[in-house]
Amino acid sequence: MGAGDVERRVWSISQTPSVGSASWPIEHWQALEVQDTTLDLFRTAIASSHRFKVSYWDAAIIEAARMASCETVLSEDMNDGQSYGGVRVRNPFRTASHRKT
């Protein structure tokens, strides 16, 4: 299974996952690139927060995406279709017919 593939694992409250099945997410998440929270990220997020008039936390997500060379961020909380200096936000729950851009 590749990093782009999605698999859903659901356990009910009454089920106790085995050690093997409980370790599955960790083993597969290791294949994903993670952007560390660095001093540079902190500084650029503060600047972006002021520039785009968004919360520090939203700006940190945008700047982490930029540092990881992502062009699109999926968020239901930020403005769908808006570009934040080249990083575009898409609401994954909004249908294409309701998109602004």
Side-chain angles (χ1 to χ4, degrees), residues 38-50:
T38 62
L39 186 55
D40 188 40
L41 174 61
F42 181 73
R43 287 181 177 144
T44 57
I46 290 171
S48 287
S49 175
H50 294 294

Side-chain angles (χ1 to χ4, degrees), residues 8-89:
R8 177 178 280 188
R9 301 249 173 148
V10 178
W11 295 300
S12 71
I13 294 174
S14 65
Q15 291 176 311
T16 302
S18 69
V19 173
S21 65
S23 65
W24 175 88
I26 295 169
E27 292 169 13
H28 286 79
W29 290 338
Q30 289 176 340
L32 301 175
E33 181 180 334
V34 176
Q35 175 59 51
D36 292 327
T37 303
T38 62
L39 186 55
D40 188 40
L41 174 61
F42 181 73
R43 287 181 177 144
T44 57
I46 290 171
S48 287
S49 175
H50 294 294
R51 177 181 175 196
F52 298 115
K53 308 286 190 255
V54 297
S55 73
Y56 163 79
W57 303 108
D58 287 349
I61 292 168
I62 292 163
E63 291 307 320
R66 184 185 325 284
M67 289 178 175
S69 300
C70 294
E71 297 175 356
T72 304
V73 168
L74 300 179
S75 172
E76 63 181 311
D77 298 322
M78 290 187 257
N79 293 330
D80 182 51
Q82 184 167 343
S83 177
Y84 294 90
V87 176
R88 186 165 303 280
V89 171

